[in-house]
Amino acid sequence: MQSWDVKMIQNDLQQIEYKIEQAKQGSKLSADHVTLIAVTKQLSVDQTKVVVEAGLKHLGENRLEGLLPKQAEIGSSVTWHFIGSLQTRKVKDIINTIDYLHSLDRMSLADEIQKRAQQPVRCFIQVNVSGESSKHGLADTELSNFMQQIESYDKILPIGLMTMAPADASEEDIRKQFKRLRELRDEMNQKGLLKQPMTELSMGMSGDYVIAVEEGATFVRIGTALVGSIKE
C-alpha cells in the first residue's frame, strides 16, 4: 500500500465531490444528499484496501468472485453494494452479505431473494430506460406490474430505481433517460403500489454523474474517475 495512491484517490474524491456540490447548487431537481459509491470491481483486494484508507465507505462490486474475497479482508467497516446483474443461482451466496442490491430486474430473482434472505434487503429495481437489448432491466411499461407482484415480499425493500445510460449517448439523451427514471419513480409513488414510497435513484457513473445529480440522483456509481489512478 503506497501513500501516494491514497493521496491520489483523495484528490480525485475532492474534485468529484466539488462537481457534485456544484451540480446540486445549479439544479432545483437535485437531491439533498448524494451517496458516492466507489466501484472497485476491477481492483485487487489490496488496491481496494487503499480505497478504504482514502476514506471511501461505500464500495460497489458486480461479481461474486470479486465481492467475497474483499469482504473477507475488509469486513463490515464499509457499506457493500452489489451493482451487477445477479444470477439466481448465486443469490444464496451473496444476498446476506450485502447492504444494497442495485439490480433487481425479474420475478425469478425476487422469488429467490425472498427465499434466501434472512432479513429485508434494500433493493433498487433496475429499469432499462434506453431500451437497449444489451442492457438488463425492466421496460418502463413492466414496472407497475412488477411492483404489484413484489409488494407482499417481506424480504425485499424496494427503495428506488436504477438505470444505466448508454456510454455513447449525447448529453441530451442521457439527461432525458435520467429524467425519465425520476419521473417513473414519482409515478410509481403516486400510484401507491408499495407500502413505503421509493425515495432513491441510483444513476450516473464516471462519465455522466454530474448530469445524474442534476436530474435527482441520490446514489452515483463511480469507478475510473475515482479509483483509476491505482489500477495496475
Side-chain angles (χ1 to χ4, degrees):
M1 187 179 299
Q2 301 177 12
S3 60
W4 64 268
D5 287 330
V6 173
K7 292 178 182 178
M8 290 175 72
I9 294 173
Q10 290 173 336
N11 287 338
D12 290 339
L13 176 60
Q14 287 179 353
Q15 293 180 34
I16 291 169
E17 288 179 334
Y18 174 77
K19 290 180 180 179
I20 288 174
E21 285 304 313
Q22 290 295 104
K24 287 169 61 178
Q25 293 176 20
S27 173
K28 295 180 180 179
L29 301 170
S30 63
D32 292 334
H33 180 73
V34 178
T35 298
L36 192 160
I37 302 168
V39 178
T40 52
K41 62 183 184 181
Q42 295 181 326
L43 303 184
S44 67
V45 173
D46 287 340
Q47 289 170 333
T48 303
K49 288 180 179 179
V50 175
V51 173
V52 176
E53 185 180 343
L56 277 301
K57 297 301 182 184
H58 289 261
L59 304 185
E61 289 287 327
N62 71 336
R63 295 174 66 245
L64 171 69
E65 296 79 9
L67 173 71
L68 297 185
K70 292 171 185 176
Q71 288 182 327
E73 290 289 327
I74 298 170
S76 59
S77 61
V78 301
T79 299
W80 295 99
H81 298 254
F82 194 83
I83 60 174
S85 179
L86 179 55
Q87 294 175 291
T88 305
R89 63 185 177 85
K90 294 185 178 180
V91 168
K92 65 181 184 301
D93 300 312
I94 286 179
I95 205 62
N96 293 304
T97 74
I98 59 175
D99 299 289
Y100 291 86
L101 174 68
H102 288 246
S103 53
L104 178 58
D105 63 353
R106 60 196 188 279
M107 280 307 303
S108 60
L109 178 57
D111 290 340
E112 191 67 12
I113 293 172
Q114 178 67 16
K115 177 181 177 181
R116 301 289 185 176
Q118 297 170 359
Q119 57 189 9
V121 181
R122 288 173 287 190
C123 296
F124 288 89
I125 301 171
Q126 184 170 355
V127 185
N128 186 357
V129 178
S130 68
E132 290 179 282
S133 59
S134 61
K135 280 191 167 57
H136 295 276
L138 295 163
D140 54 6
T141 55
E142 300 173 318
L143 192 52
S144 288
N145 183 56
F146 181 77
M147 291 176 62
Q148 290 177 44
Q149 290 184 76
I150 66 171
E151 190 273 337
S152 63
Y153 286 26
D154 63 349
K155 295 299 190 296
I156 293 178
L157 180 60
I159 62 171
L161 304 180
M162 184 279 260
T163 199
M164 292 183 288
D168 57 352
S170 66
E171 179 177 333
E172 180 181 3
D173 286 341
I174 291 171
R175 189 175 298 279
K176 285 180 180 178
Q177 291 177 31
F178 290 159
K179 176 183 178 182
R180 180 58 181 150
L181 193 75
R182 172 170 44 80
E183 291 174 343
L184 281 170
R185 180 199 61 185
D186 295 345
E187 288 171 13
M188 296 303 108
N189 286 340
Q190 288 173 4
K191 290 181 178 180
L193 300 176
L194 299 172
K195 296 182 181 70
Q196 298 293 330
M198 297 183 293
T199 58
E200 312 300 333
L201 292 173
S202 174
M203 58 188 193
M205 298 186 289
S206 289
D208 54 24
Y209 69 89
V210 171
I211 303 172
V213 171
E214 290 173 346
E215 292 298 328
T218 60
F219 286 77
V220 292
R221 312 175 303 271
I222 302 181
T224 303
L226 181 60
V227 302
S229 61
I230 66 168
K231 285 177 61 180
E232 292 177 344

